[in-house]
Amino acid sequence: MLDDPRSHGLWEKTAPLPPATAKLQGAARADVVVIGGGYTGLSTALHLAEAGTSVVLLEAREIGFGGAGRNVGLINAGMWVMPDDLPGELGPTHGERLLELLGNGPRAVMEIIDRHGIACELERQGTLHCAVGTAGRKEIEARAEQWQRRGAPVELLDIAETEYKIGTRAYQGALLDKRAGTLQPLAYARGLAHAAMKAGVILHTSSPVDNYERTADGWRVMTAEGSVDAQWVVAATDAYSEGPFAAVREEQIHLPYFNFATVPLSDNLRKAILAERQGCWDTKEVLSSFRMDKAGRMVFGSVGALRGTGLSIHRNWARRALKAIFPQIGDIAFESEWYGQIGMTTNALPRFHKFAPGVIGFSGYNGRGISPGTVFGKTLAAHILGQLSEDELPLPLTDPQAPPFRSIKEAWYEAGAQLAHLAGARF
């Protein structure tokens, strides 16, 4: 994609091929038109088609082009916000609904993968939130207590247990979330696309939407070479939104995030490092993440963009940091490198928008797109099918609202990540 190995990196190298598609040409009609070929759009389309609804999905570029094809691949439960804080942010009704929906999100992802036989390197052994220092330990203790009080299968690990799971003494413990897991993110998106097309979805790529307008029966969505008439429009473009739904992108502050993938580790190292294949991330403000893929490559990432001076700064930092956490690896080559943009909202929580009657969408996943995107797509389908009223949705209705100084904050985050990584690797 983009003829740029730094856009999708390892995931494009190792994902199965996407389904054959073509750009929209001429006029079409469906019950629902979905805009966006990421997790939310594909999940919405799949669940609608399985219920007998006709769907046309329009993707501006290729399946998984945005965050779905660039992320780390952690299937997390919940959001960044602490569980006890959600009701305060959203109110008790929506807060508890969202906690329940996203707490069960990884299970929904895995059920779809199993049902459709999606080959995406699924690992079901959970994730580890790794505590850096005393402050990090207090953070995971609070998060563990709040989830455990709600009956979630999470376990607080001490230093020795953490070392056994990960293969390093760099952390003061970890929170094991047994609901979670990892997958190959672009492979999952492409698998959803295959499943959606098999269920009857008409899928067009290279078909950016220019505009949409009211008709006597609903809506007409227009591209450069065609149009789709439908009763419902689902905007599922999130942080990569352009055109008529650019307000969704403008509501979010872009936080760049990069990943490096090593060459496959030796058999001995693979037995000693992440032997159970959990995905990990730490509690630092400029956080790091790491996991293994099916072939034994270490995928290691952090905040920052691999462009300009950031390319060498982040690459050199990644080598130092990886060596600091796992000295047993020694000097190892990076096989792939890539980065994307995380869309961050002002309160680190997603949004539900109604752009007009029958024109709706969820967005703002704050770096947790796999599970929320999947379950929000299923939720949108249920709403369109009349199974959930607007009052029963997991989020209140809000209007897109751009945060102040968005461009300045984005530039600062990119520059700040470079400064942090120039300072060195401390754990």
Side-chain angles (χ1 to χ4, degrees):
M1 284 186 261
L2 295 177
D3 294 322
D4 180 0
R6 291 198 188 102
S7 68
H8 298 80
L10 176 67
W11 305 141
E12 189 167 21
K13 285 176 60 176
T14 61
L17 292 173
T21 57
K23 68 172 63 176
L24 175 68
Q25 293 182 309
R29 181 178 292 274
D31 297 323
V32 181
V33 57
V34 174
I35 304 170
Y39 303 130
T40 306
L42 292 164
S43 176
T44 304
L46 172 61
H47 286 97
L48 285 170
E50 288 180 326
T53 302
S54 60
V55 184
V56 170
L57 187 149
L58 303 175
E59 162 55 43
R61 293 175 177 83
E62 299 294 334
I63 295 301
F65 174 83
R70 307 174 195 233
N71 65 66
V72 181
L74 304 181
I75 317 168
N76 283 313
M79 300 297 291
W80 290 106
V81 177
M82 286 283 192
D84 283 0
D85 294 340
L86 264 175
E89 288 284 345
L90 298 175
T93 300
H94 287 105
E96 293 300 332
R97 280 182 196 164
L98 189 63
L99 277 171
E100 182 177 359
L101 180 71
L102 297 185
N104 293 321
R107 182 195 307 162
V109 171
M110 295 175 192
E111 287 174 351
I112 288 174
I113 292 169
D114 290 341
R115 186 166 74 249
H116 295 283
I118 297 175
C120 59
E121 302 185 16
L122 174 63
E123 297 284 356
R124 308 170 192 260
Q125 289 78 16
T127 55
L128 293 164
H129 194 182
C130 305
V132 178
T134 303
R137 179 70 190 186
K138 289 180 179 178
E139 178 185 334
I140 66 168
E141 286 174 350
R143 196 176 291 273
E145 188 276 328
Q146 291 176 28
W147 275 122
Q148 287 169 348
R149 194 168 359 103
R150 290 172 166 82
V154 302
E155 181 181 345
L156 197 61
L157 307 182
D158 63 22
I159 293 175
E161 292 168 323
T162 301
E163 180 182 11
Y164 175 78
K165 294 282 188 188
I166 302 177
T168 180
R169 290 188 64 84
Y171 302 108
Q172 298 297 306
L175 176 61
L176 171 62
D177 190 335
K178 298 178 182 178
R179 299 169 293 183
T182 67
L183 50 66
Q184 210 277 29
L186 182 57
Y188 176 51
R190 289 178 173 179
L192 286 174
H194 279 287
M197 291 185 71
K198 187 175 180 179
V201 175
I202 306 300
L203 202 159
H204 294 286
T205 54
S206 301
S207 301
V209 171
D210 296 328
N211 208 345
Y212 66 101
E213 64 183 16
R214 260 293 193 188
T215 66
D217 298 326
W219 297 96
R220 177 167 296 148
V221 175
M222 293 161 283
T223 69
E225 299 182 40
S227 64
V228 183
D229 284 10
Q231 293 178 309
W232 288 86
V233 179
V234 173
T237 46
D238 201 33
Y240 287 80
S241 294
E242 297 174 341
F245 299 105
V248 174
R249 183 269 179 267
E250 292 163 2
E251 185 178 36
Q252 304 178 46
I253 296 171
H254 272 178
L255 182 73
Y257 201 91
F258 64 80
N259 282 287
F260 290 92
T262 70
V263 297
L265 304 185
S266 68
D267 288 343
N268 286 340
L269 286 173
R270 288 164 68 178
K271 291 174 183 176
I273 296 174
L274 292 176
E276 297 175 0
R277 295 296 183 266
Q278 285 93 0
C280 305
W281 77 102
D282 65 31
T283 58
K284 294 180 71 173
E285 185 174 358
V286 181
L287 66 85
S288 305
S289 61
F290 51 92
R291 53 159 299 193
M292 301 279 265
D293 81 338
K294 185 178 180 179
R297 303 177 182 92
M298 174 73 76
V299 179
F300 189 77
S302 185
V303 178
L306 301 183
R307 59 187 174 194
T309 56
L311 177 57
S312 61
I313 289 171
H314 299 313
R315 186 187 287 148
N316 290 334
W317 170 85
R319 290 196 180 102
R320 296 194 310 272
L322 188 60
K323 206 170 195 178
I325 301 173
F326 300 108
Q328 64 270 48
I329 290 180
D331 294 318
I332 190 167
F334 290 139
E335 181 180 304
S336 301
E337 54 189 28
W338 69 101
Y339 77 102
Q341 304 289 348
I342 297 172
M344 304 294 293
T345 59
T346 52
N347 64 352
L349 290 173
R351 303 285 193 265
F352 170 63
H353 296 314
K354 182 192 287 186
F355 303 93
V359 184
I360 57 175
F362 285 106
S363 58
Y365 299 153
N366 296 273
R368 296 210 164 181
I370 295 172
S371 178
T374 301
V375 296
F376 281 146
K378 184 177 181 180
T379 300
L380 287 170
H383 178 54
I384 290 168
L385 293 167
Q387 298 166 357
L388 282 176
S389 70
E390 192 173 296
D391 291 337
E392 295 172 310
L393 294 176
L395 288 168
L397 175 64
T398 57
D399 294 323
Q401 197 167 32
F405 310 113
R406 177 174 55 83
S407 297
I408 294 173
K409 291 175 181 176
E410 290 178 346
W412 168 244
Y413 288 147
E414 185 166 347
Q418 292 187 35
L419 290 172
H421 288 159
L422 271 172
R426 291 179 296 171
F427 301 94

